[in-house]
């Protein structure tokens, strides 16, 4: 059984649950609101894409340092966009 954490930006906990059910490959998950500033292992974009460093490496091979910087920039941009739209940050603990 594998575990991953995915950040989801949503207006409510109900909306976050629905987004996880639709877009995140989880058999089961636990969801909680969070203000943790740590970089997550993955995040859900407003377009329904689950972005992780592994996803980026598969699509455009690059050095680990460049990959981490690119992932961090994408996450911070998504977080800022969510903030401007008044969305809350939720953390989904996924089990597959």
């Amino acid at each position: 059984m594998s575990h991953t954490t995915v950040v989801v930006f949503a207006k409510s906990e109900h909306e976050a649950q629905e987004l996880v059910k639709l877009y995140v490959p989880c058999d089961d998950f636990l969801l909680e609101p969070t203000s943790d500033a740590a970089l997550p292992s993955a995040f859900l974009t407003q377009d329904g894409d689950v972005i992780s460093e592994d996803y980026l490496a598969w699509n455009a091979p690059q050095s680990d340092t460049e990959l981490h910087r690119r992932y961090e920039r994408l996450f911070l941009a998504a977080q800022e966009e969510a903030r401007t739209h008044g969305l809350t940050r939720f953390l989904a603990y996924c089990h597959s």
Side-chain angles (χ1 to χ4, degrees), residues 47-61:
D47 296 329
D49 297 320
V50 178
I51 305 294
S52 67
E53 286 190 26
D54 289 342
Y55 172 85
L56 294 177
W58 184 79
N59 285 306

Side-chain angles (χ1 to χ4, degrees), residues 4-18:
T4 190
T5 54
V6 179
V7 165
V8 178
F9 300 105
K11 292 182 181 181
S12 67
E13 187 169 345
H14 177 74
E15 181 183 45
Q17 288 173 348
E18 293 302 312

Side-chain angles (χ1 to χ4, degrees), residues 11-87:
K11 292 182 181 181
S12 67
E13 187 169 345
H14 177 74
E15 181 183 45
Q17 288 173 348
E18 293 302 312
L19 290 169
V20 171
K21 288 177 188 174
L22 282 171
Y23 298 112
V24 182
C26 287
D27 292 334
D28 189 25
F29 65 92
L30 174 66
L31 188 70
E32 66 180 39
T34 181
S35 59
D36 183 10
L39 194 62
S41 57
F43 67 96
L44 182 66
T45 68
Q46 296 299 310
D47 296 329
D49 297 320
V50 178
I51 305 294
S52 67
E53 286 190 26
D54 289 342
Y55 172 85
L56 294 177
W58 184 79
N59 285 306
Q62 52 200 295
S63 76
D64 287 348
T65 303
E66 291 170 332
L67 182 67
H68 183 73
R69 283 190 205 134
R70 183 168 175 229
Y71 176 73
E72 187 174 33
R73 280 193 309 270
L74 286 170
F75 175 72
L76 292 174
Q79 183 171 260
E80 187 57 35
E81 180 183 354
R83 202 175 288 141
T84 62
H85 288 57
L87 303 178

